[in-house]
Amino acid sequence: MSNANNSAKFAFFYVLSLVTLVFTSLSTGMIIFQIINKKIMDSLTLAPGDFSQDALRFAISAIIIAAPIYFAMSWLINKNLLSGKLDRESGVRKWLTYFILLVSAVVMIGWLIAAIGSFLNGELTLKFILKSLTSIIISALIFSFYLYDIRREDTSKNNNIIRVYFYGSIVIAVIALVAAFFFIDSPFVVRGQKFDQATVNKLSQIDNSVNAYYGE
């Protein structure tokens, strides 16, 4: 009964870490993609192509919420491995770790497909290369970490490689989050823009009404 309860608990840890990992990694990639879109000018449009404030806002929100949960779950999983409460040969650990590997591979494939599609649609070669490298690096870091974790022999001692991955990924997420704030409008600016848009909409309604009255 105790083993069954532990299996359910560890399955919860792994599934929650998977969900938050997806949000964290995708949001990190989205931030880098938007910075690339912002900084590399497209001579075709004479403007930062495909740059989206909405995408940045979503990515910031996702990292702020999902990243701490992911790192907390990863820490709990490693803590239970060190204490022996989570067996290295546990079926839950193996099945869900390989499932995370599958998801990371699918995400990498999806990112690369999107990057190639943008390139074939006329996107600049430099932007295509940078976005492809971003997709490969993020996915490769996730894939290599979990592949190493599932294959390591001794899980009863602290592992320096695991520590490098753990703290390195925290640094990457923090850098991406901080960088995003340099490219996003503040909430006060966004609110002012919404007021301006509301004014434009009302003036447009007045213009339509005047034209309709003149037409009659």
Side-chain angles (χ1 to χ4, degrees):
M1 192 66 184
S2 176
N3 288 337
N5 289 336
N6 284 337
S7 295
K9 178 177 74 174
F10 296 136
F12 168 76
F13 287 168
Y14 272 103
V15 171
L16 184 57
S17 69
L18 170 60
V19 173
T20 51
L21 171 63
V22 170
F23 276 110
T24 303
S25 58
L26 287 178
S27 299
T28 303
M30 286 171 66
I31 289 172
I32 297 173
F33 279 20
Q34 294 307 316
I35 292 175
I36 292 171
N37 287 337
K38 179 75 172 179
K39 297 302 290 183
I40 300 179
M41 190 72 69
D42 192 339
S43 58
L44 182 64
T45 60
L46 299 178
D50 300 327
F51 176 74
S52 171
Q53 290 274 347
D54 290 335
L56 267 185
R57 281 190 281 269
F58 172 80
I60 290 172
S61 303
I63 286 185
I64 289 174
I65 299 300
I69 297 174
Y70 168 71
F71 293 121
M73 291 298 103
S74 298
W75 179 80
L76 284 172
I77 290 170
N78 193 56
K79 178 184 175 184
N80 282 281
L81 276 171
L82 290 173
S83 66
K85 292 179 181 178
L86 174 58
D87 185 12
R88 177 183 173 276
E89 300 297 326
S90 167
V92 169
R93 177 173 180 263
K94 285 190 172 182
W95 274 96
L96 291 178
T97 299
Y98 278 111
F99 184 67
I100 292 172
L101 286 170
L102 172 63
V103 171
S104 65
V106 170
V107 168
M108 179 175 67
I109 292 169
W111 265 346
L112 289 175
I113 290 173
I116 292 173
S118 297
F119 173 70
L120 294 175
N121 199 37
E123 188 171 66
L124 291 175
T125 304
L126 178 59
K127 293 172 75 173
F128 164 70
I129 293 172
L130 292 176
K131 288 181 179 180
S132 298
L133 285 175
T134 300
S135 305
I136 292 170
I137 290 171
I138 293 176
S139 301
L141 285 173
I142 296 170
F143 194 88
S144 60
F145 168 73
Y146 281 101
L147 189 62
Y148 173 79
D149 182 52
I150 199 65
R151 288 184 173 180
R152 61 178 169 143
E153 296 293 332
D154 190 0
T155 58
S156 61
K157 298 189 227 180
N158 282 315
N159 187 298
N160 289 331
I161 295 178
I162 296 295
R163 283 179 174 174
V164 169
Y165 271 106
F166 182 79
Y167 291 110
S169 58
I170 290 177
V171 170
I172 292 172
V174 170
I175 290 174
L177 180 62
V178 172
F181 283 108
F182 288 96
F183 294 90
I184 193 173
D185 293 331
S186 71
F188 299 104
V189 172
V190 174
R191 186 168 177 82
Q193 291 171 347
K194 289 184 176 180
F195 274 120
D196 291 342
Q197 188 59 50
T199 303
V200 170
N201 291 339
K202 290 176 181 178
L203 289 171
S204 178
Q205 291 173 5
I206 293 171
D207 177 63
N208 291 335
S209 299
V210 170
N211 287 330
Y213 179 77
Y214 175 78
E216 291 176 1

